[in-house]
Amino acid sequence: MIDRFGRPIEDLRVTLTHVCNFSCFFCHMEGEDSSQSLLSPEEISLVAKVGIEYGIRSVKLTGGEPTLRRDLVQIIKELKDKGIKEVSMTTNGVLLSTLAWKLKEAGLDRVNVSLHSLDKQLFKEITGVDALDKVIDGIKEAIKAGLRPLKLNFVLTKKNISQLDNIINFAIETGVDELHLIELHPVGLGKNTFEYHEKLESIEKILKEKADKIEIRSKHYRPRYHLNNLVIEVVKPYANPIFCAGCNRIRLTADGKLKTCLYRQDKEIDIIDILRGNFSLEEKIELIREAYEIAIAIREPNFKYRVENYASS
Ligand code: SAM
């Protein structure tokens, strides 16, 4: 099903918890207020299953830190059993060396691992935790377990721009499949720390010159630069109408809301009373369908192209 702006929904991003074992100074918290709530594996998979009727094909698990959920294996199994084609997870990677094989066996298809520095001191300054070695072990184990394509998420800031070359070399040497260069979003803590925002334009200029091949992904129309068996994908959502025009994502918050955009807390449909209410399964499914239809109807690009933004005065 397509929204008023011609955009399908295909990808459900689920916040499993707000609890985290890192404290990244820029964390956007997926655009959510912190809460203690947790949806159960059955609740999450029911919402995902109904979403299939509206075009959902893939589910991304996030947080907080999703690997802190003790029932993560069950969540993944339920999502796969309900017919979700691709289940992936974004993680800080610190628990991956022990969990990778178990998660793969449960049906997890792939992971994005956040890695913002290869310098131990800077890693600790950014994440609040002295855990670089564990994260590197986690990345290697995830590759061995076949959680591929394995993607690294590197949020570019003034603090870590000097790390970029090291990260690219590390990715190539380790057999990482993709590196996502992510612009800092002014959301959550990112709003208070936006002074560290660094533009990606000059890096993209170099990538354009060096790339063997350049593609544009349909999701967010993200540019992808192929470089020595590594794909570097540029994720530049801020004030970018092209990114929003290609958005195929809808979100399920930790406290049970269908959220239509990272940036918008006014465009959410609260479905917790449906999930926890005294309804039959058929009634719940019908009410969740209605919620998806409302969410699709109110969904809109946060950044829209306006001629006046571009016309000379
Ligand atoms: N704890 C997990 C992790 O660290 O990957 C998953 C949750 S984290 C909120 C999801 C992704 O968003 C991570 O790759 C993280 O680096 C990125 N992220 C967090 N805050 C951001 C911000 N203000 N701007 C851009 N990306 C951000």
Short mmCIF file of all heavy atoms in Angstrom, two decimals, residues 13 17 19-22 24-30 61-66 89-93 112-116 152-156 182-191 193-194 237 262, ligand 1:
data_model
loop_
_atom_site.label_atom_id
_atom_site.label_comp_id
_atom_site.label_asym_id
_atom_site.label_seq_id
_atom_site.Cartn_x
_atom_site.Cartn_y
_atom_site.Cartn_z
N ARG A 13 10.84 -1.10 11.36
CA ARG A 13 11.97 -0.96 12.28
C ARG A 13 11.42 -1.02 13.71
O ARG A 13 10.59 -0.18 14.08
CB ARG A 13 12.67 0.38 12.02
CG ARG A 13 13.98 0.56 12.78
CD ARG A 13 14.73 1.77 12.26
NE ARG A 13 15.92 2.06 13.03
CZ ARG A 13 17.16 1.84 12.60
NH1 ARG A 13 17.38 1.33 11.42
NH2 ARG A 13 18.20 2.15 13.35
N THR A 17 13.99 -2.36 23.01
CA THR A 17 14.16 -1.87 24.38
C THR A 17 14.86 -0.52 24.32
O THR A 17 15.53 -0.23 23.33
CB THR A 17 15.04 -2.85 25.21
OG1 THR A 17 15.34 -2.26 26.47
CG2 THR A 17 16.37 -3.17 24.53
N VAL A 19 16.84 0.14 26.92
CA VAL A 19 18.02 -0.12 27.77
C VAL A 19 19.24 -0.31 26.86
O VAL A 19 19.15 -0.93 25.80
CB VAL A 19 17.79 -1.40 28.62
CG1 VAL A 19 19.02 -1.75 29.43
CG2 VAL A 19 16.57 -1.22 29.51
N CYS A 20 20.37 0.26 27.28
CA CYS A 20 21.58 0.10 26.49
C CYS A 20 22.79 -0.04 27.41
O CYS A 20 22.80 0.52 28.51
CB CYS A 20 21.78 1.29 25.55
SG CYS A 20 23.03 0.97 24.28
N ASN A 21 23.79 -0.80 26.96
CA ASN A 21 25.02 -0.95 27.75
C ASN A 21 26.09 0.03 27.27
O ASN A 21 27.21 0.00 27.75
CB ASN A 21 25.53 -2.40 27.70
CG ASN A 21 25.41 -3.03 26.33
OD1 ASN A 21 25.05 -2.36 25.36
ND2 ASN A 21 25.69 -4.31 26.23
N PHE A 22 25.76 0.88 26.29
CA PHE A 22 26.63 1.97 25.86
C PHE A 22 25.91 3.28 26.16
O PHE A 22 24.70 3.29 26.41
CB PHE A 22 26.89 1.90 24.34
CG PHE A 22 27.96 0.91 23.92
CD1 PHE A 22 28.39 -0.10 24.76
CD2 PHE A 22 28.54 1.01 22.66
CE1 PHE A 22 29.38 -1.01 24.35
CE2 PHE A 22 29.53 0.12 22.24
CZ PHE A 22 29.94 -0.89 23.08
N CYS A 24 26.27 6.36 23.93
CA CYS A 24 26.82 7.18 22.84
C CYS A 24 26.34 8.62 23.00
O CYS A 24 25.15 8.86 23.24
CB CYS A 24 26.38 6.62 21.49
SG CYS A 24 26.94 4.92 21.24
N PHE A 25 27.27 9.55 22.86
CA PHE A 25 26.96 10.94 23.22
C PHE A 25 25.92 11.57 22.29
O PHE A 25 25.31 12.57 22.63
CB PHE A 25 28.25 11.79 23.26
CG PHE A 25 28.80 12.18 21.92
CD1 PHE A 25 28.49 13.40 21.33
CD2 PHE A 25 29.65 11.32 21.23
CE1 PHE A 25 29.00 13.76 20.09
CE2 PHE A 25 30.16 11.67 19.97
CZ PHE A 25 29.83 12.89 19.41
N PHE A 26 25.68 10.94 21.12
CA PHE A 26 24.76 11.53 20.14
C PHE A 26 23.48 10.74 19.97
O PHE A 26 22.72 10.98 19.04
CB PHE A 26 25.46 11.65 18.78
CG PHE A 26 26.12 10.36 18.32
CD1 PHE A 26 25.36 9.24 18.03
CD2 PHE A 26 27.50 10.28 18.21
CE1 PHE A 26 25.96 8.06 17.62
CE2 PHE A 26 28.10 9.10 17.79
CZ PHE A 26 27.33 7.99 17.49
N CYS A 27 23.20 9.76 20.84
CA CYS A 27 22.15 8.76 20.55
C CYS A 27 20.78 9.40 20.27
O CYS A 27 20.29 10.19 21.07
CB CYS A 27 22.01 7.76 21.69
SG CYS A 27 20.85 6.44 21.22
N HIS A 28 20.20 9.02 19.15
CA HIS A 28 18.89 9.60 18.79
C HIS A 28 17.73 8.84 19.41
O HIS A 28 16.58 9.26 19.30
CB HIS A 28 18.72 9.73 17.28
CG HIS A 28 18.86 8.47 16.47
ND1 HIS A 28 18.48 7.22 16.89
CD2 HIS A 28 19.35 8.30 15.21
CE1 HIS A 28 18.72 6.34 15.94
NE2 HIS A 28 19.26 6.95 14.92
N MET A 29 18.03 7.70 20.07
CA MET A 29 16.99 6.88 20.73
C MET A 29 15.84 6.55 19.77
O MET A 29 14.70 6.38 20.19
CB MET A 29 16.40 7.62 21.93
CG MET A 29 17.39 8.05 22.96
SD MET A 29 17.39 6.93 24.35
CE MET A 29 15.68 6.96 24.87
N GLU A 30 16.18 6.47 18.48
CA GLU A 30 15.16 6.16 17.46
C GLU A 30 14.00 7.15 17.50
O GLU A 30 12.88 6.83 17.10
CB GLU A 30 14.65 4.71 17.60
CG GLU A 30 15.73 3.66 17.50
CD GLU A 30 16.40 3.54 16.11
OE1 GLU A 30 15.79 3.98 15.14
OE2 GLU A 30 17.53 3.01 16.05
N LEU A 61 15.64 -4.97 13.80
CA LEU A 61 15.55 -4.88 15.25
C LEU A 61 16.59 -3.88 15.74
O LEU A 61 17.75 -3.92 15.35
CB LEU A 61 15.81 -6.26 15.87
CG LEU A 61 14.91 -7.39 15.33
CD1 LEU A 61 15.35 -8.74 15.88
CD2 LEU A 61 13.45 -7.11 15.68
N THR A 62 16.16 -2.98 16.64
CA THR A 62 17.07 -1.97 17.13
C THR A 62 16.75 -1.67 18.59
O THR A 62 16.02 -2.40 19.24
CB THR A 62 17.01 -0.71 16.21
OG1 THR A 62 17.96 0.25 16.67
CG2 THR A 62 15.64 -0.08 16.18
N GLY A 63 17.34 -0.62 19.13
CA GLY A 63 17.09 -0.28 20.53
C GLY A 63 17.43 1.18 20.79
O GLY A 63 17.41 1.97 19.84
N GLY A 64 17.88 1.48 21.97
CA GLY A 64 18.55 0.67 22.97
C GLY A 64 19.45 -0.38 22.30
O GLY A 64 19.78 -0.29 21.15
N GLU A 65 19.83 -1.34 23.10
CA GLU A 65 20.67 -2.42 22.57
C GLU A 65 19.84 -3.71 22.48
O GLU A 65 19.52 -4.32 23.50
CB GLU A 65 21.91 -2.59 23.45
CG GLU A 65 22.85 -3.69 23.03
CD GLU A 65 23.14 -3.76 21.52
OE1 GLU A 65 23.35 -2.71 20.89
OE2 GLU A 65 23.11 -4.87 20.96
N PRO A 66 19.49 -4.12 21.25
CA PRO A 66 18.59 -5.28 21.10
C PRO A 66 19.13 -6.57 21.68
O PRO A 66 18.36 -7.44 22.11
CB PRO A 66 18.40 -5.38 19.58
CG PRO A 66 19.49 -4.59 18.97
CD PRO A 66 19.86 -3.54 19.95
N MET A 89 19.38 -6.80 12.32
CA MET A 89 19.48 -6.15 13.64
C MET A 89 20.62 -5.12 13.60
O MET A 89 21.67 -5.38 13.01
CB MET A 89 19.79 -7.23 14.68
CG MET A 89 20.06 -6.72 16.07
SD MET A 89 20.34 -8.08 17.23
CE MET A 89 21.97 -8.59 16.78
N THR A 90 20.39 -3.99 14.22
CA THR A 90 21.47 -3.03 14.42
C THR A 90 21.92 -3.15 15.87
O THR A 90 21.09 -3.08 16.78
CB THR A 90 21.00 -1.59 14.11
OG1 THR A 90 20.59 -1.55 12.75
CG2 THR A 90 22.12 -0.59 14.31
N THR A 91 23.23 -3.32 16.07
CA THR A 91 23.74 -3.59 17.41
C THR A 91 25.06 -2.87 17.63
O THR A 91 25.77 -2.57 16.67
CB THR A 91 23.95 -5.12 17.60
OG1 THR A 91 24.64 -5.36 18.84
CG2 THR A 91 24.74 -5.76 16.47
N ASN A 92 25.38 -2.63 18.90
CA ASN A 92 26.72 -2.09 19.18
C ASN A 92 27.78 -3.19 19.10
O ASN A 92 28.97 -2.90 19.16
CB ASN A 92 26.76 -1.36 20.53
CG ASN A 92 26.43 -2.25 21.71
OD1 ASN A 92 26.70 -3.44 21.70
ND2 ASN A 92 25.85 -1.66 22.75
N GLY A 93 27.35 -4.44 18.99
CA GLY A 93 28.27 -5.55 18.70
C GLY A 93 28.98 -6.14 19.91
O GLY A 93 29.68 -7.14 19.78
N ASN A 112 23.85 -5.01 11.25
CA ASN A 112 24.62 -3.78 11.13
C ASN A 112 25.30 -3.60 12.49
O ASN A 112 24.62 -3.66 13.53
CB ASN A 112 23.73 -2.56 10.94
CG ASN A 112 23.11 -2.49 9.56
OD1 ASN A 112 22.53 -3.46 9.09
ND2 ASN A 112 23.21 -1.34 8.92
N VAL A 113 26.61 -3.41 12.49
CA VAL A 113 27.31 -3.19 13.75
C VAL A 113 27.83 -1.75 13.77
O VAL A 113 28.51 -1.32 12.83
CB VAL A 113 28.50 -4.17 13.93
CG1 VAL A 113 29.15 -3.95 15.30
CG2 VAL A 113 28.04 -5.61 13.78
N SER A 114 27.50 -1.03 14.82
CA SER A 114 27.95 0.36 14.93
C SER A 114 29.41 0.38 15.34
O SER A 114 29.81 -0.29 16.30
CB SER A 114 27.11 1.11 15.97
OG SER A 114 25.77 1.07 15.58
N LEU A 115 30.22 1.11 14.59
CA LEU A 115 31.64 1.23 14.92
C LEU A 115 32.07 2.64 14.54
O LEU A 115 32.16 2.97 13.36
CB LEU A 115 32.46 0.18 14.14
CG LEU A 115 33.96 0.18 14.43
CD1 LEU A 115 34.26 -0.24 15.86
CD2 LEU A 115 34.70 -0.77 13.46
N HIS A 116 32.32 3.46 15.55
CA HIS A 116 32.55 4.88 15.30
C HIS A 116 34.01 5.26 15.47
O HIS A 116 34.36 6.42 15.24
CB HIS A 116 31.67 5.73 16.21
CG HIS A 116 30.25 5.31 16.22
ND1 HIS A 116 29.47 5.27 15.09
CD2 HIS A 116 29.44 4.87 17.23
CE1 HIS A 116 28.27 4.84 15.40
NE2 HIS A 116 28.22 4.59 16.68
N LEU A 152 28.79 -2.12 8.58
CA LEU A 152 29.22 -1.28 9.71
C LEU A 152 28.49 0.05 9.61
O LEU A 152 28.36 0.61 8.52
CB LEU A 152 30.73 -1.01 9.66
CG LEU A 152 31.67 -2.20 9.83
CD1 LEU A 152 33.12 -1.70 9.85
CD2 LEU A 152 31.36 -2.97 11.10
N ASN A 153 28.03 0.56 10.76
CA ASN A 153 27.43 1.90 10.81
C ASN A 153 28.45 2.84 11.44
O ASN A 153 28.85 2.64 12.60
CB ASN A 153 26.17 1.91 11.69
CG ASN A 153 24.98 1.28 11.00
OD1 ASN A 153 25.09 0.72 9.91
ND2 ASN A 153 23.82 1.37 11.64
N PHE A 154 28.85 3.84 10.71
CA PHE A 154 29.82 4.82 11.22
C PHE A 154 29.13 6.18 11.19
O PHE A 154 28.84 6.72 10.12
CB PHE A 154 31.05 4.83 10.30
CG PHE A 154 32.11 5.84 10.65
CD1 PHE A 154 33.06 5.57 11.64
CD2 PHE A 154 32.19 7.07 9.99
CE1 PHE A 154 34.06 6.50 11.95
CE2 PHE A 154 33.18 7.99 10.30
CZ PHE A 154 34.11 7.71 11.28
N VAL A 155 28.80 6.71 12.38
CA VAL A 155 28.18 8.03 12.44
C VAL A 155 29.30 9.07 12.44
O VAL A 155 30.13 9.11 13.36
CB VAL A 155 27.28 8.19 13.69
CG1 VAL A 155 26.69 9.60 13.77
CG2 VAL A 155 26.16 7.16 13.67
N LEU A 156 29.32 9.86 11.40
CA LEU A 156 30.41 10.82 11.22
C LEU A 156 30.17 12.07 12.08
O LEU A 156 29.08 12.65 12.05
CB LEU A 156 30.48 11.24 9.74
CG LEU A 156 31.61 12.19 9.40
CD1 LEU A 156 32.90 11.42 9.21
CD2 LEU A 156 31.30 13.00 8.15
N ILE A 182 27.05 7.57 8.13
CA ILE A 182 25.77 8.17 8.55
C ILE A 182 25.99 9.59 9.05
O ILE A 182 26.86 9.84 9.90
CB ILE A 182 25.12 7.30 9.65
CG1 ILE A 182 25.00 5.85 9.17
CG2 ILE A 182 23.77 7.86 10.06
CD1 ILE A 182 24.45 4.89 10.21
N GLU A 183 25.17 10.49 8.53
CA GLU A 183 25.22 11.87 9.01
C GLU A 183 24.56 11.95 10.39
O GLU A 183 23.58 11.25 10.65
CB GLU A 183 24.44 12.75 8.01
CG GLU A 183 24.44 14.21 8.35
CD GLU A 183 23.62 15.01 7.33
OE1 GLU A 183 22.71 14.46 6.68
OE2 GLU A 183 23.90 16.21 7.23
N LEU A 184 25.11 12.76 11.25
CA LEU A 184 24.52 12.95 12.59
C LEU A 184 23.14 13.59 12.46
O LEU A 184 22.98 14.60 11.79
CB LEU A 184 25.44 13.87 13.39
CG LEU A 184 25.05 14.13 14.85
CD1 LEU A 184 25.22 12.88 15.69
CD2 LEU A 184 25.90 15.25 15.43
N HIS A 185 22.12 12.96 13.10
CA HIS A 185 20.77 13.54 13.07
C HIS A 185 20.57 14.37 14.34
O HIS A 185 20.91 13.91 15.43
CB HIS A 185 19.65 12.49 13.12
CG HIS A 185 19.79 11.32 12.21
ND1 HIS A 185 20.47 11.36 11.03
CD2 HIS A 185 19.27 10.07 12.32
CE1 HIS A 185 20.38 10.17 10.45
NE2 HIS A 185 19.68 9.37 11.22
N PRO A 186 19.93 15.51 14.21
CA PRO A 186 19.62 16.32 15.40
C PRO A 186 18.36 15.82 16.10
O PRO A 186 17.34 16.50 16.15
CB PRO A 186 19.42 17.73 14.81
CG PRO A 186 18.94 17.49 13.42
CD PRO A 186 19.50 16.18 12.97
N VAL A 187 18.43 14.60 16.60
CA VAL A 187 17.28 13.96 17.26
C VAL A 187 17.79 13.37 18.57
O VAL A 187 18.94 12.90 18.63
CB VAL A 187 16.70 12.83 16.35
CG1 VAL A 187 15.59 12.07 17.06
CG2 VAL A 187 16.19 13.39 15.03
N GLY A 188 16.97 13.38 19.62
CA GLY A 188 17.40 12.85 20.92
C GLY A 188 18.62 13.61 21.41
O GLY A 188 18.68 14.84 21.33
N LEU A 189 19.66 12.87 21.88
CA LEU A 189 20.88 13.54 22.34
C LEU A 189 21.58 14.25 21.18
O LEU A 189 22.34 15.19 21.38
CB LEU A 189 21.85 12.52 22.95
CG LEU A 189 21.39 11.80 24.22
CD1 LEU A 189 22.47 10.84 24.69
CD2 LEU A 189 21.04 12.79 25.31
N GLY A 190 21.33 13.77 19.96
CA GLY A 190 21.92 14.39 18.77
C GLY A 190 21.52 15.86 18.62
O GLY A 190 22.22 16.63 17.97
N LYS A 191 20.38 16.21 19.24
CA LYS A 191 19.92 17.60 19.17
C LYS A 191 20.86 18.48 20.00
O LYS A 191 21.24 19.56 19.59
CB LYS A 191 18.50 17.66 19.75
CG LYS A 191 17.56 18.57 18.96
CD LYS A 191 16.23 18.74 19.66
CE LYS A 191 15.34 17.54 19.48
NZ LYS A 191 14.06 17.63 20.19
N THR A 193 23.92 17.78 20.82
CA THR A 193 25.34 17.65 20.46
C THR A 193 25.56 17.92 18.97
O THR A 193 26.56 17.49 18.41
CB THR A 193 25.86 16.23 20.81
OG1 THR A 193 25.02 15.26 20.18
CG2 THR A 193 25.84 15.97 22.30
N PHE A 194 24.62 18.66 18.40
CA PHE A 194 24.68 18.89 16.95
C PHE A 194 25.87 19.78 16.56
O PHE A 194 26.22 19.87 15.39
CB PHE A 194 23.36 19.47 16.44
CG PHE A 194 23.11 19.19 14.98
CD1 PHE A 194 23.10 17.90 14.49
CD2 PHE A 194 22.90 20.23 14.07
CE1 PHE A 194 22.88 17.63 13.14
CE2 PHE A 194 22.69 19.98 12.72
CZ PHE A 194 22.67 18.67 12.26
N PRO A 237 20.11 11.86 5.88
CA PRO A 237 18.69 12.17 5.95
C PRO A 237 18.37 13.64 6.26
O PRO A 237 17.29 14.10 5.95
CB PRO A 237 18.18 11.31 7.12
CG PRO A 237 19.38 10.73 7.76
CD PRO A 237 20.61 11.23 7.08
N LEU A 262 11.23 9.02 11.97
CA LEU A 262 12.16 9.23 13.09
C LEU A 262 11.98 10.61 13.72
O LEU A 262 12.06 10.78 14.93
CB LEU A 262 13.59 9.10 12.56
CG LEU A 262 14.75 9.47 13.50
CD1 LEU A 262 14.92 8.43 14.59
CD2 LEU A 262 16.06 9.61 12.74
N1 SAM B 1 22.48 0.09 20.26
C1 SAM B 1 22.51 -0.23 18.88
C2 SAM B 1 23.71 0.42 18.19
O1 SAM B 1 24.46 1.13 18.86
O2 SAM B 1 23.89 0.16 17.02
C3 SAM B 1 21.21 0.06 18.15
C4 SAM B 1 20.50 1.33 18.46
S1 SAM B 1 21.22 2.77 17.72
C5 SAM B 1 20.08 4.01 18.25
C6 SAM B 1 20.87 2.56 15.99
C7 SAM B 1 21.83 3.24 15.05
O3 SAM B 1 21.61 4.64 15.08
C8 SAM B 1 23.31 3.05 15.39
O4 SAM B 1 24.04 2.72 14.24
C9 SAM B 1 23.72 4.40 15.89
O5 SAM B 1 25.07 4.64 15.72
C10 SAM B 1 22.84 5.31 15.07
N2 SAM B 1 22.62 6.63 15.69
C11 SAM B 1 22.35 6.88 16.98
N3 SAM B 1 22.19 8.19 17.18
C12 SAM B 1 22.38 8.81 16.00
C13 SAM B 1 22.33 10.16 15.57
N4 SAM B 1 22.08 11.17 16.40
N5 SAM B 1 22.56 10.42 14.26
C14 SAM B 1 22.81 9.40 13.39
N6 SAM B 1 22.85 8.11 13.74
C15 SAM B 1 22.64 7.81 15.02
#
